[in-house]
Amino acid sequence: MSLDITKERGTPLERQKFTWKEIAGEPYSKLDDDAFTRVRQILMHGVEQEACRLKHFAARFCPDLRLPLARVRRVEHLQATMVNWLMPGDQSPLETTIGFEQVAIEVTAHVASVEPDPYMAQVYRFGLLEDFDHLYRYAALMDRLCGKDANNILQSYTDVMPGRPTSVEHRAPEDDLRRHYEKTQAAPLTKIHAALITGSEWQTRDYYLTIGPTFADPVARQLYAEIAAIEEQHVTQYEALSDPSETWLEKWLLQEATEVYAYWSCYSQEQNPRIKQIWERFLSYELGHLRLVRELMEEVEKRDPAELLPAEFPDPLSFRSHREFVRQTLTEEVLLRARGFDIVPPDLESPASLAYREQLNASGSPSELVAAGYRWKPGTELTDRRVREAEFVSLVQEEAAQ
Amino acid sequence: MSKNDRPTDIGINRTGIALSPLDGPRMTEGATATAPSSAGSARDAAVLRFRYAVEAGEIGHMPPPLSLRGVAGAAASLLKGQKGNVLLDKLGERLAFERTGVRLYDGLILKLEASGSWSGGPTLEDLVAFRADEARHFEWMVEAMTALGADATAMTPSADLTAVESVGVLQVISDPRTGLAQALHAQQLAELADVAGWDLLAMLAESLGHGELAAQCRLALAQENLHAASVARWLKAHAETAAHGELARAS
């Protein structure tokens, strides 16, 4: 299965219309739909958010592009809304968080496994092991705060176990920058991967910053604050992968190509027929956007956009469990750290990162605390009699004794 | 009968691990074989929560009486001191709860009109009458607070918390995918809390010497007891009918 983006013309912009009824349409079922329907919904909201963000920044620097940017961005905004509104009201923010981490793990694992540039692939594997750990910490929070099983959301596709401990993921800013691809040499897929994962991580950062303070529990508030800080580092890492010498139009073109690729991937694997129709419709919208930007590039930069785009996409993003890939990466690379642009053995970690981390964790680590001694079990850790029937010891008496 | 009232029909619920005969055991085996990154238990987080609980401030406080704020024409401050504030806080709680109660019944009425009822279930008249009770109770609380020199538009600390407690009830009732029986199950939580709330308020008003207010609270309590009993009866009828396979098929 392949998609020839030079032949597909998509829906013209003037025919891309919405009503509030369809924007706030029926959500997916948290209970009945496949976990990868939620994964696709979360991913595509992240992609659309990135599309809007990029266009806003472009508008600040490119006065001549403001009108076409505003026109396309208006549609992207409504697409983002419609995709995000597929989330059901019975899905709690913490359940959605579990979904966000499943996206980060499974989508990044796919990208890492097919990325043609070995350095980029290593960076994705590095980030993957950090998001993998976040899932474990949030699952522990869900179990111990709410008495709920994260696997009701994960549907057994994704492991819940420690990755690179979140407490050691805190690094000095200079150790989160990475080498960028060279725009004239990198494969189109490498560029698309960078745009895709940057958008996804940025959405995660924003989501945690938004919902973190809606929790009353101080442990949850600390944990969201801590993991949001890592997502900020991830945005720093992934956005550094794109070549800064790309023009705004080049970046816009790549973003539209990324959206086409992502919607095409969603469409090709969606099981829910109603949601599949949305992916198909938005794939057609994105093909329309891509065509518009190609024409702009020819007109403004007098360049052939075909130089920058793949004639056809290789294989779609693979929305499936990457358990074996993740486990193998975990075994081989969990101890690695980052220094400058490089992924290094733990003994080469920079003094700056060590000092930064020591200061942040000085009053304790929320991610260690929430998962102290935690092993995920089907049905929560309360299915373990030793946990369920642990002897009660008064904290007041214990503190007095100390 | 709408499809919404037949949620126990077999569908494709994917949340349980048994639906993943290959992935489920692998996941369990992996989690069991991997050591946590630090020793301890849920108690470690409890220690932090304990420290926060010891150090934390309050959610908020009672507003000062209108007379202290120089509001012209405000009723004389009939309630002074801590006792008065406790009563006003609880009056504010009932006021807010009943006001939200009106909106919850709006949602239940809509649900009934959309999906119908069942044998032994509520009629439209039942729900409309209960809504009117909630509205009247709200009005009584506004009058009571105003008569006591309080600002009936203020959100007292108990009013705030009771609204937080009710968030899930509203979420279930306002979801178009839930049926009347599911929504009534949520409402049962509200009705039981309401009974307890009026019981406490009647006792408090009595003990502070507000005999007339206490009598009004007991009247509200009697009506809320009827609501709670009715909701329980409707839900039992629904569960029995469903268990015997006698709910009408979705059209």
Side-chain angles (χ1 to χ4, degrees):
Chain A
M1 181 176 173
S2 63
L3 179 70
D4 184 344
I5 56 174
T6 57
K7 288 190 183 144
E8 302 286 348
R9 296 182 61 80
T11 305
L13 195 61
E14 60 276 14
R15 281 178 34 214
Q16 299 184 4
K17 295 183 190 303
F18 302 82
T19 66
W20 300 121
K21 178 80 192 310
E22 58 182 7
I23 285 173
E26 173 135 356
Y28 56 77
S29 166
K30 181 180 87 175
L31 306 181
D32 293 354
D33 273 302
D34 190 84
F36 277 103
T37 293
R38 173 172 37 246
V39 164
R40 286 182 279 271
Q41 176 267 312
I42 293 172
L43 175 71
M44 292 320 300
H45 181 245
V47 169
E48 288 293 0
Q49 288 280 67
E50 177 69 7
C52 291
R53 198 178 293 124
L54 178 75
K55 288 178 184 66
H56 275 300
F57 284 115
R60 294 179 199 182
F61 291 90
C62 313
D64 295 345
L65 293 177
R66 280 184 176 175
L67 184 58
L69 283 165
R71 282 182 173 146
V72 177
R73 193 175 57 230
R74 178 64 50 83
V75 174
E76 309 267 29
H77 172 85
L78 295 173
Q79 285 178 271
T81 312
M82 189 161 151
V83 169
N84 208 29
W85 264 231
L86 288 172
M87 234 188 270
D90 57 331
Q91 188 168 285
S92 72
L94 186 47
E95 287 174 325
T96 301
T97 298
I98 297 293
F100 266 67
E101 294 301 342
Q102 189 168 38
V103 172
I105 295 162
E106 300 301 348
V107 176
T108 311
H110 163 81
V111 165
S113 64
V114 302
E115 167 58 48
D117 181 317
Y119 172 76
M120 301 283 162
Q122 186 181 41
V123 171
Y124 292 124
R125 294 197 302 275
F126 184 78
L128 163 66
L129 294 187
E130 302 197 329
D131 286 320
F132 185 73
D133 193 73
H134 302 168
L135 174 61
Y136 166 72
R137 310 290 159 179
Y138 282 129
L141 177 71
M142 178 180 263
D143 187 336
R144 290 176 166 178
L145 178 66
C146 315
K148 292 170 89 171
D149 181 356
N151 198 37
N152 289 158
I153 298 297
L154 299 169
Q155 298 177 5
S156 305
Y157 289 122
T158 310
D159 281 330
V160 179
M161 55 172 93
R164 176 174 306 114
T166 301
S167 60
V168 303
E169 294 171 8
H170 305 287
R171 289 176 288 274
E174 56 266 38
D175 294 329
D176 281 320
L177 298 178
R178 303 287 172 259
R179 265 188 292 280
H180 61 80
Y181 60 70
E182 295 296 336
K183 68 176 189 176
T184 54
Q185 293 162 28
L189 193 60
T190 292
K191 300 176 183 180
I192 285 172
H193 283 163
L196 182 78
I197 301 296
T198 302
S200 181
E201 293 288 323
W202 200 327
Q203 167 186 235
T204 308
R205 170 197 176 276
D206 285 1
Y207 184 67
Y208 294 169
L209 286 176
T210 304
I211 63 146
T214 67
F215 285 82
D217 174 52
V219 176
R221 291 169 79 91
Q222 282 201 3
L223 185 66
Y224 272 92
E226 183 184 12
I227 297 183
I230 303 300
E231 304 302 348
E232 162 63 20
Q233 291 183 207
H234 284 183
V235 177
T236 304
Q237 164 172 284
Y238 292 124
E239 74 185 0
L241 298 179
S242 296
D243 189 336
S245 72
E246 285 166 340
T247 66
W248 280 106
L249 262 172
E250 279 178 290
K251 287 193 181 296
W252 186 4
L253 187 82
L254 284 169
Q255 178 62 34
E256 298 300 347
T258 302
E259 291 168 64
V260 169
Y261 179 55
Y263 277 121
W264 172 61
S265 302
C266 291
Y267 169 71
S268 69
Q269 291 158 78
E270 183 58 63
Q271 296 173 24
N272 181 322
R274 189 170 50 81
I275 294 176
K276 192 181 177 87
Q277 277 184 353
I278 295 174
W279 303 145
E280 183 178 24
R281 171 177 165 188
F282 287 176
L283 168 61
S284 184
Y285 282 18
E286 296 304 338
L287 285 162
H289 301 169
L290 183 63
R291 184 160 59 91
L292 185 147
V293 185
R294 288 169 58 185
E295 288 165 4
L296 272 174
M297 181 165 266
E298 287 165 359
E299 185 186 316
V300 177
E301 295 193 358
K302 314 291 181 208
R303 292 170 64 189
D304 180 4
E307 296 166 14
L308 297 166
L309 296 170
E312 57 180 41
F313 289 126
D315 289 313
L317 287 162
S318 152
F319 293 110
R320 61 170 178 81
S321 172
H322 294 80
R323 192 186 314 280
E324 292 317 315
F325 179 84
V326 175
R327 284 191 184 183
Q328 190 187 342
T329 308
L330 197 60
T331 305
E332 295 169 0
E333 302 184 18
V334 72
L335 295 177
L336 297 181
R337 301 286 186 267
R339 181 169 187 156
F341 292 165
D342 297 315
I343 310 299
V344 299
D347 54 325
L348 294 183
E349 201 164 16
S350 78
S353 276
L354 290 170
Y356 171 73
R357 179 184 310 153
E358 190 182 341
Q359 193 279 317
L360 261 182
N361 290 332
S363 65
S365 159
S367 52
E368 288 300 322
L369 190 84
V370 76
Y374 184 71
R375 275 191 173 92
W376 173 82
K377 284 180 190 306
T380 79
E381 69 174 359
L382 288 175
T383 57
D384 184 332
R385 178 188 288 248
R386 290 164 301 176
V387 176
R388 200 168 56 240
E389 297 178 2
E391 191 189 350
F392 171 76
V393 182
S394 158
L395 285 165
V396 177
Q397 288 170 8
E398 194 175 76
E399 196 138 284
Q402 282 173 3
Chain B
M1 182 64 58
S2 127
K3 64 181 166 56
N4 288 340
D5 276 313
R6 299 175 57 88
T8 47
D9 285 359
I10 299 288
I12 44 162
N13 183 313
R14 296 173 202 259
T15 56
I17 198 165
L19 262 139
S20 307
L22 299 177
D23 280 325
R26 294 230 56 204
M27 195 172 165
T28 309
E29 155 263 307
T32 309
T34 311
S37 64
S38 54
S41 67
R43 193 171 176 78
D44 295 60
V47 171
L48 181 76
R49 291 184 175 116
F50 174 76
R51 295 213 179 107
Y52 267 93
V54 169
E55 294 166 9
E58 290 86 7
I59 276 191
H61 297 90
M62 289 295 290
L66 291 181
S67 53
L68 284 188
R69 286 183 278 165
V71 176
S77 180
L78 303 175
L79 283 165
K80 287 181 183 158
Q82 196 54 33
K83 283 180 187 171
N85 281 340
V86 172
L87 180 62
L88 288 175
D89 182 32
K90 287 296 167 191
L91 285 170
E93 174 195 302
R94 275 310 89 202
L95 180 153
F97 202 89
E98 299 299 319
R99 188 169 54 193
T100 298
V102 175
R103 300 307 181 192
L104 294 177
Y105 271 100
D106 282 341
L108 291 167
I109 289 165
L110 184 146
K111 210 61 101 175
L112 186 141
E113 296 217 277
S115 63
S117 187
W118 53 87
S119 170
T123 63
L124 186 59
E125 291 70 30
D126 291 329
L127 297 184
V128 169
F130 286 6
R131 181 195 185 277
D133 290 343
E134 306 290 340
R136 202 175 322 108
H137 299 166
F138 162 62
E139 188 188 351
W140 289 351
M141 290 299 96
V142 172
E143 289 167 357
M145 287 188 78
T146 307
L148 292 170
D151 180 355
T153 68
M155 182 186 282
T156 71
S158 288
D160 177 38
L161 290 178
T162 204
V164 176
E165 291 159 14
S166 307
V167 165
V169 173
L170 181 63
Q171 192 76 346
V172 170
I173 292 177
S174 61
D175 192 328
R177 302 169 305 158
T178 59
L180 179 61
Q182 290 169 321
L184 279 170
H185 187 264
Q187 182 64 18
Q188 190 170 36
L189 217 61
E191 293 295 3
L192 291 171
D194 214 7
V195 165
W198 284 112
D199 188 35
L200 187 148
L201 189 57
M203 178 279 296
L204 188 63
E206 191 73 64
S207 76
L208 293 178
H210 296 276
E212 207 173 310
L213 176 61
Q216 201 172 36
C217 292
R218 281 195 294 273
L219 178 57
L221 174 61
Q223 290 170 336
E224 295 297 351
N225 265 319
L226 174 68
H227 293 190
S230 303
V231 171
R233 192 177 68 249
W234 298 332
L235 287 173
K236 283 177 184 164
H238 182 271
E240 250 184 321
T241 313
H244 288 99
E246 291 165 5
L247 283 182
R249 288 229 164 264
S251 53

